[in-house]
Each structure stands twice: as C-alpha cells, then as structure tokens.
C-alpha cells in the first residue's frame, strides 16, 4: 500500500479544507451577525434549512457538475466546496460572534475601519475558540471522509488514507492484522488533535 502517497493526499485535502471552511464560514458569519442588510434573517433561516437536506439528495447532481467540469479523478471536488462555507459552521460562528460587544465595532468605525478590517482585526482574533472548534470539526470530517473520495477518485494514486483501507481487502481474503495496524495509523491524528486542542474545542462550543 503506497501509504506516503495516501498520506500526502489526505494532508492536502484536510489542510486546504480547513483553510477554506474557516475563511468562508467566518466571513459569512460576520455578515449575518454584525452587518444589517435587507432580508438577513430570512436568508439565515434558509441557510439553516439546508442542514435538513440529506447529502444523498445532492450526491448525483453534484457529481454530474464536477464531471462536466472535468474534476473527477482530481482532489478538487474534495477541496473547492469547502471555500463556500458550511451551514453548521456558519451558525456556530454567528452565535459566538453575537456574544462579542458591538461597541468594539463602533470604535473601529470611528477610527475609520471598514467591515473587512473589523472582521480581520477584531472578530477573527476574538473568535479564536470558535475558529479552533471549526478547525477541529473540519479536520476530523475531512480526514475520515470515505464517501467523497470513493465517489470522485478512481485512480489509486489519488486515493486518501480512508480509501487505502480498501487495499487490504481482496475478493476472497482480508489481511486483518495489516488492516488493524493501518486503521490505527488513520485514527491516530484525530486522537492527537482532540487531545491537544480539547480546551479550545470546549470553549468554542
């Protein structure tokens, strides 16, 4: 099993997905929590309603979209969607941002700061625990994602670590000892991340 190749692909997907989710979700959450604009509450309700839509409903249309874009057998379908945010993470960050005093925004406006400066210089530093929780959630979700790579990646050199577990299963036998060792390797980063960052995780929630 080319473990290093699978490990590299998993690291690329997980790291870029974390960056995309933290950036896009925090930006949208800032717009929903600190900026007044027409229809804000209605659009937020629509956003929350998307959480009730099962992923199986959109699986085929999304696959057709990525197929027509020529992204099948690449890592793009696993990375690019993260830059459009996640309803759950937006909700989490919005609720956290509502607890930050608005006087900080007003002081920044008096000093001549625009909304992007307020988001970057004030909201992001103060939302550290919530951003850490989002990063932990997204890392665990991307690292353990099996269905996404199974759908979009047919070439073995593009596989991630969860798909690498399939290499230990053949038509007639299964190498259980190697499979258990490999499963431990796949699970270890998630345990380490939660062990070292559980304080931020609890504060963010």
């Amino acid at each position: 099993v080319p473990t290093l190749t699978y490990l590299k692909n998993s690291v690329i997907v997980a790291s870029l997905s974390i960056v995309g989710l933290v950036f896009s979700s925090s930006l949208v959450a800032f717009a929903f929590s600190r900026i007044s604009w027409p229809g804000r509450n209605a659009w937020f309700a629509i956003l929350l309603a998307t959480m009730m839509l099962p992923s199986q409903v959109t699986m085929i249309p999304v696959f057709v979209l990525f197929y027509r874009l020529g992204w099948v057998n690449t890592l793009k379908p696993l990375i690019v969607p993260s830059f459009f945010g996640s309803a759950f993470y937006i909700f989490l960050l919005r609720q956290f941002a509502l607890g930050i005093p608005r006087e900080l925004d007003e002081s920044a406006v008096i000093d001549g700061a625009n909304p992007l400066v307020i988001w970057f210089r004030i909201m992001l530093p103060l939302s550290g625990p919530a951003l850490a929780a989002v990063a932990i959630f997204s890392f665990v979700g991307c690292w353990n994602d099996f269905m996404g790579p199974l759908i979009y990646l047919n070439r073995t050199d593009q596989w991630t670590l969860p798909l690498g577990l399939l290499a230990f299963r053949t038509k007639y036998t299964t190498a259980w000892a190697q499979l258990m060792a490999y499963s431990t390797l796949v699970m270890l980063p998630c345990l380490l991340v939660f062990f070292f960052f559980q304080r931020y995780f609890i504060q963010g929630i």
Side-chain angles (χ1 to χ4, degrees):
V1 178
T3 306
L4 291 180
T5 301
Y6 300 160
L7 177 62
K8 181 191 70 173
N9 294 335
S10 293
V11 169
I12 292 174
V13 171
S15 58
L16 292 180
S17 296
I18 290 173
V19 172
L21 285 169
V22 169
F23 171 77
S24 57
S25 298
S26 62
L27 192 60
V28 176
F30 173 76
F32 276 123
S33 62
R34 317 298 281 196
I35 301 176
S36 298
W37 43 280
R40 183 182 65 174
N41 294 332
W43 280 109
F44 185 69
I46 294 174
L47 175 71
L48 293 182
T50 62
M51 296 175 61
M52 296 185 292
L53 191 65
S55 60
Q56 292 82 358
V57 174
T58 59
M59 186 179 298
I60 294 177
V62 172
F63 176 83
V64 172
L65 172 65
F66 289 143
Y67 177 79
R68 292 181 176 177
L69 290 174
W71 288 2
V72 176
N73 283 325
T74 68
L75 298 179
K76 292 179 182 178
L78 307 178
I79 298 174
V80 174
S82 64
F83 285 86
F84 292 90
S86 168
F88 174 71
Y89 299 148
I90 292 171
F91 170 75
L92 179 65
L93 292 172
R94 174 187 178 271
Q95 297 306 112
F96 192 91
L98 290 176
I100 299 176
R102 282 188 172 271
E103 288 78 5
L104 297 175
D105 299 12
E106 297 170 356
S107 300
V109 171
I110 293 175
D111 291 336
N114 57 46
L116 285 178
V117 173
I118 296 174
W119 166 72
F120 184 75
R121 300 289 296 274
I122 297 177
M123 297 303 299
L124 286 185
L126 294 178
S127 301
L131 295 175
V134 170
I136 293 172
F137 272 130
S138 58
F139 172 78
V140 173
C142 296
W143 189 265
N144 293 326
D145 185 21
F146 177 80
M147 185 61 67
L150 182 66
I151 294 173
Y152 300 113
L153 305 178
N154 296 322
R155 291 165 41 193
T156 56
D157 62 326
Q158 296 289 338
W159 280 8
T160 56
L161 284 175
L163 279 186
L165 295 171
L166 290 177
F168 295 101
R169 296 184 58 188
T170 63
K171 185 176 181 179
Y172 300 105
T173 60
T174 299
W176 290 110
Q178 292 85 347
L179 181 62
M180 293 298 103
Y182 197 84
S183 299
T184 304
L185 174 65
V186 174
M187 181 178 61
L188 188 60
C190 296
L191 294 178
L192 293 177
V193 166
F194 184 78
F195 179 77
F196 287 107
F197 296 99
Q198 60 178 330
R199 178 167 63 92
Y200 302 101
F201 174 77
I202 294 173
Q203 290 179 356
I205 297 299

